[in-house]
Structure formats: C-alpha cells, structure tokens
Amino acid sequence: MTQLASDDFERASLGANWSTISGEFAWFITGSSDATANGSDSSSNYSAIDWPDDQWAEATFSAIPIPLSAGAGAGVATRCDPTNSARTYYRHLAGANGANDSCIGKLVGGSYTQLALASNQGWVNGDVVRGEAQGIDIRLLRNGTQVLSASDSAIAGGDPGLTFSTSTTGDPQFEDWAAGDFATANAPTKRSHGFKLQQMADAEDDGKFNELDVRNWWCEAFA
C-alpha cells in the first residue's frame, strides 16, 4: 500500500486541499490541532490530487462520539463524488459504547443504504478507523483489524475524506488523517553479468597453456 496524502490538522483552518460534500456541512479545525464536526451530518473530501478508484483512508480518534442509532458515528469516507454535485460516497463509521458502534453505508445521490453493521467492537480514543474501497470490496478496520465488510458496485471512484453521521452523543475529533492506494513497490530486480572464460596468450612463454594463462571475471548487480 502507498500513502498518497496526509493531514495532521496543525493549523487554524481546514484549507484549500479539502472540499465539502454536497448537502452536508464541512469539517473544521479546533484548537489548531484536531479536525471536528458538530451537530449535523458533515463530510469533507480531500480534493487536492486525482485519486485512484481503489483507495483507503484512515483517521485517529481524539474524541469519539456515542451513536444513538444504527448508521450514526464518525469515520472516514471513500469514493466521494469529486465534483461535489451529488451526495455520493461510502461511509466507514465508528463510535463508542457498544450498540451499533461500527457501520458501513453508502449514499448515492443523497439516498442512504446501510451495507453492514456491528456492535460491541470496543472503540476508544486513540483508535484508528480505516475505510477501504477496493473493487467491489468495501471494508471497515479498527487498528488494522477488519471489523466489517460488504460488496457493492454502486460507486466506482472519487476522493477519500472524513465523515460524521448524526445522531450521536458528543462530537467527533480526529488528530490525524491519511489516505492512499493499494499499489505495492516493485521489488529490486537482480541482474547478472557474466564474461566467458577466455584463454590468454602464453604469458609464461613456456609453450604451454595452463591455469596461469587464463583469466575469468564474474559480477552481479542489483537494479
């Protein structure tokens, strides 16, 4: 996997790298250190680069909300409509306090569908919530361990970001965010260069060709 962008939110405002998803409120920065949202559905996508269709996003909780209903919570978004003309993206949500604390959902043109739901995953402050969209495989991970998965082909590509779905007790805060693709670095290629064994002139001038008259060299190089 390759990280393509990250944000530590160490500034006064979210800035030009982020856009607001149509029909929702923007995330903002609190205390010059954390990204937060309050009171209403809020989703912001990282629009500064062109993103591959297969992508992941993750964020670290510094304040985790308590979901009051299925489909509520905070987390990351994948495949957000990059034009922000339609409320379209995947939600990968988490919360504290047990019931309905993990969710994968999708919005397509503003119409919401819940794809997977789980309870009692034990989310706490400091946990990393991660969402992955790889082909039709849509996943939610907690600290690198898969919690939920779903199969869906409704949204083919877009931007990753942050998302918050009410209703919850408490507002979310994230101290770090990162996103990338599933490409793997190419392994070094081993190349060998050989030189044939060659019989040289009779260096000893004794009328014989033997091992003292032969030279050989071999090397290996790594690209």
Side-chain angles (χ1 to χ4, degrees):
M1 296 183 184
T2 303
Q3 180 177 298
L4 301 177
S6 63
D7 200 328
D8 61 8
F9 309 118
E10 299 286 337
R11 57 189 182 279
S13 63
L14 207 55
N17 287 342
W18 293 85
S19 301
T20 304
I21 292 176
S22 175
E24 300 198 20
F25 289 90
W27 282 67
F28 59 96
I29 290 180
T30 181
S32 297
S33 61
D34 292 354
T36 189
N38 60 24
S40 302
D41 284 3
S42 303
S43 296
S44 296
N45 55 305
Y46 194 93
S47 53
I49 65 175
D50 292 328
W51 289 93
D53 295 340
D54 288 346
Q55 59 189 241
W56 57 267
E58 64 183 27
T60 304
F61 277 110
S62 53
I64 187 167
I66 299 172
L68 299 179
S69 60
V76 292
T78 56
R79 294 181 179 170
C80 305
D81 173 26
T83 69
N84 291 312
S85 61
R87 196 181 178 200
T88 298
Y89 62 96
Y90 287 111
R91 281 177 173 168
H92 311 257
L93 300 173
N97 207 35
N100 303 316
D101 62 2
S102 306
C103 179
I104 297 174
K106 67 177 178 180
L107 283 110
V108 179
S111 178
Y112 177 74
T113 302
Q114 186 171 285
L115 299 176
L117 182 68
S119 297
N120 302 311
Q121 297 303 308
W123 295 88
V124 296
N125 288 340
D127 280 349
V128 177
V129 54
R130 179 184 176 99
E132 298 181 348
Q134 188 175 21
I136 63 171
D137 297 324
I138 315 300
R139 299 181 286 266
L140 172 68
L141 294 83
R142 173 178 177 254
N143 299 329
T145 299
Q146 184 170 300
V147 173
L148 288 172
S149 65
S151 294
D152 190 79
S153 60
I155 309 171
D159 300 340
L162 291 167
T163 187
F164 174 48
S165 176
T166 58
S167 104
T168 66
T169 298
D171 297 328
Q173 291 184 22
F174 289 114
E175 62 184 22
D176 294 294
W177 176 92
D181 63 17
F182 295 93
T184 56
N186 291 328
T189 300
K190 183 178 180 180
R191 297 176 180 174
S192 296
H193 302 277
F195 294 80
K196 290 182 179 179
L197 190 67
Q198 296 184 11
Q199 194 172 47
M200 309 299 290
D202 181 11
E204 298 171 280
D205 196 23
D206 59 0
K208 300 177 181 179
F209 290 106
N210 55 36
E211 67 273 14
L212 295 178
D213 302 318
V214 177
R215 303 293 184 268
N216 172 53
W217 184 66
W218 179 267
C219 73
E220 289 186 341
F222 294 89

